[in-house]
Amino acid sequence: EPELAYQINTVAPGVLAQKAKELDIPLVHFSTDYVFDGFKKEPYLETDPTNPQSIYGKTKCEGEEKVRRHPKHIILRTSWVFGSHGNNFLKTILRLIMEKESLKIVGDQWGSPASSSMLADVTFKIVDRIFMDKNFDHYGTYHVTNEGDTNWHQYASLIASEAMQLGIKVKCEPDHIHPIFTSDYPTAAKRPLNSRLNTDKLKKTFMLELPHWKSEVKEVLREII
């Protein structure tokens, strides 16, 4: 739905940025790893050139540009978001391992999962800093994910392992989750092979420590149970 994606990801942030600029109100906007093409071998920096490969990525990238027209903006790029609410990879895998005896999961796409609770906490601390510091001048683009990286197959295997340790009865144990290549699982939208985001700028600027993705997965599973 490219037109709907454009309205939500490009037009709407532009409207918010314009109004926030008129009222001199800071704006926090969430963006995505999909603004990159995934060809870089190392984690992406905020200064790396964007090259989105999908409609979603392109419309999010254009939305970023509209938000930047307002000087007082914070753009938070994140990836692989999961939590106890809504639809996400963790909850999908949790359902599938209780329904199926084996799974095939892509193992050549790498990224850094980000828990919704961590994102909420970081956003609160940034907003609090803006309000507390009358001379705040650290507006711009930042990358925010949990510490550590993984691929979808390793991620799914950890979910299964932790679920079993928490007493959940599963049909599909970690040994029955098999890695496959992206080419074996074609999707409508092209997904970057490398979605890892470097978070050093965020941590240094706002003096933050980010929890590891594995500990956040365990916490979310406990919440769901």
Side-chain angles (χ1 to χ4, degrees):
E1 297 176 282
E3 181 55 36
L4 181 60
Y6 177 75
Q7 292 296 327
I8 294 171
N9 298 328
T10 303
V11 176
V15 172
L16 289 170
Q18 178 60 36
K19 182 54 66 174
K21 184 178 180 180
E22 291 172 10
L23 299 173
D24 194 31
I25 296 171
L27 176 66
V28 178
H29 175 67
F30 294 93
S31 192
T32 174
D33 55 301
Y34 277 56
V35 299
F36 299 115
D37 56 25
F39 299 142
K40 186 179 178 182
K41 300 302 181 183
E42 299 81 26
Y44 280 94
L45 300 168
E46 289 83 353
T47 52
D48 283 330
T50 55
N51 185 29
Q53 301 293 296
S54 65
I55 294 294
Y56 171 67
K58 290 174 182 176
T59 56
K60 289 295 288 184
C61 195
E62 291 169 5
E64 284 189 6
E65 290 305 313
K66 289 187 178 294
V67 169
R68 291 190 182 99
R69 294 176 185 175
H70 175 30
K72 293 184 177 181
H73 71 268
I74 297 282
I75 293 173
L76 297 176
R77 288 186 185 139
T78 191
S79 63
W80 296 25
V81 180
F82 68 95
S84 57
H85 300 283
N87 297 318
N88 55 75
F89 183 79
L90 182 148
K91 291 178 73 177
T92 298
I93 294 298
L94 187 60
R95 174 177 57 81
L96 289 176
I97 60 176
M98 291 189 286
E99 294 176 353
K100 298 181 179 294
E101 294 183 352
S102 67
L103 293 173
K104 294 180 179 179
I105 305 294
V106 171
D108 60 350
Q109 293 177 17
W110 289 83
S112 302
S115 72
S116 54
S117 59
M118 178 277 294
L119 288 172
D121 185 52
V122 167
T123 305
F124 172 81
K125 289 175 178 175
I126 292 173
V127 171
D128 189 53
R129 171 84 172 274
I130 292 172
F131 278 106
M132 296 296 289
D133 184 358
K134 300 302 179 185
N135 298 312
F136 182 84
D137 62 352
H138 297 292
Y139 293 106
T141 301
Y142 294 89
H143 291 169
V144 52
T145 65
N146 284 105
E147 293 286 6
D149 55 43
T150 187
N151 61 52
W152 293 114
H153 171 258
Q154 292 179 357
Y155 188 5
S157 299
L158 180 91
I159 293 168
S161 176
E162 291 299 328
M164 291 174 64
Q165 288 188 36
L166 290 169
I168 297 176
K169 294 182 179 180
V170 304
K171 288 184 178 180
C172 181
E173 297 186 358
D175 290 346
H176 295 142
I177 299 177
H178 307 291
I180 60 172
F181 294 106
T182 297
S183 56
D184 297 325
Y185 186 72
T187 56
K190 188 176 180 180
R191 299 172 183 271
L193 293 178
N194 175 28
S195 282
R196 294 176 299 154
L197 302 175
N198 185 305
T199 59
D200 288 347
K201 179 184 175 184
L202 177 91
K203 290 184 287 189
K204 290 176 182 177
T205 302
F206 297 100
M207 294 176 287
L208 295 173
E209 290 186 11
L210 302 173
H212 199 280
W213 71 270
K214 289 184 179 180
S215 64
E216 293 290 275
V217 165
K218 295 175 185 178
E219 185 61 35
V220 170
L221 284 172
R222 282 193 287 265
E223 282 181 31
I224 292 172
I225 293 169

